[in-house]
Amino acid sequence: NNEDMSGNIFVSDNVYTFAIILNSYFSNVTASSVNLSFQGIYDSLDLERSDGVIIQGITGNSYNDYTLESNTTYVYNVMAYNGDNVPTTTIIQTSPFTTLPVLYGVEFSNVQTDSITLDISGVFDSITLFKNDGKFLILYPLAAANSNTFGL
């Protein structure tokens, strides 16, 4: 019971169902997208991605984020809301995941009997090249564009 300034007594009949997120997980990770799924009792969700992007008003139990950078690790903070737009008292955090690397292309140049130059472009941390004699070379770290000459 509450009393207002005039001495009138009133009863608040606002009863809220707490929104709760029981579980979150991700699937279908590509170089630029991820599917996030949620289990719980809620009417809508807000997501805050680790790079500062905020996505509001998600309804349903999944969300596809198509705005990711390749070869980048992301974490989402998730806030659930009930039908009265009252948020949960706890923000959960998804497990971290990393989008896939991208190889844009490989160009061969300066081909000699004992060496070759490869111009490699993409977004990746490392790359492994296999030669036809079964030997392999591991190159790391490589930037988005890199030129390397290899002995044959």
Side-chain angles (χ1 to χ4, degrees):
N1 291 346
N2 294 310
E3 189 173 321
D4 66 13
M5 297 292 283
S6 302
N8 297 320
I9 297 176
F10 61 93
V11 176
S12 174
D13 59 333
N14 292 336
V15 177
Y16 297 111
T17 302
F18 285 106
I20 187 168
I21 302 166
L22 301 172
N23 195 8
S24 68
Y25 51 96
F26 56 88
S27 62
N28 301 324
V29 178
T30 70
S32 62
S33 67
V34 67
N35 176 269
L36 299 162
S37 298
F38 309 96
Q39 295 175 331
I41 302 167
Y42 56 86
D43 288 300
S44 67
L45 300 170
D46 288 351
L47 302 177
E48 181 179 5
R49 206 165 61 198
S50 51
D51 63 356
V53 172
I54 297 173
I55 304 122
Q56 295 178 311
I58 298 167
T59 58
N61 62 359
S62 67
Y63 175 75
N64 290 306
D65 192 344
Y66 295 105
T67 61
L68 305 178
E69 295 291 324
S70 64
N71 203 34
T72 303
T73 300
Y74 291 96
V75 173
Y76 291 81
N77 289 324
V78 184
M79 174 71 79
Y81 294 85
N82 69 10
D84 296 307
N85 208 30
V86 175
T88 60
T89 56
T90 305
I91 297 174
I92 69 159
Q93 195 172 72
T94 64
S95 297
F97 66 92
T98 303
T99 53
L100 300 178
V102 176
L103 182 64
Y104 296 126
V106 178
E107 292 184 22
F108 301 92
S109 61
N110 197 22
V111 178
Q112 306 293 319
T113 56
D114 62 346
S115 67
I116 187 170
T117 300
L118 301 177
D119 294 316
I120 304 167
S121 62
V123 181
F124 43 81
D125 291 328
S126 66
I127 193 165
T128 302
L129 301 176
F130 291 91
K131 300 188 319 183
N132 64 357
D133 63 0
K135 296 179 182 176
F136 62 92
L137 302 168
I138 299 175
L139 311 174
Y140 58 91
L142 296 177
N146 202 354
S147 178
N148 289 282
T149 300
F150 302 97
L152 299 176

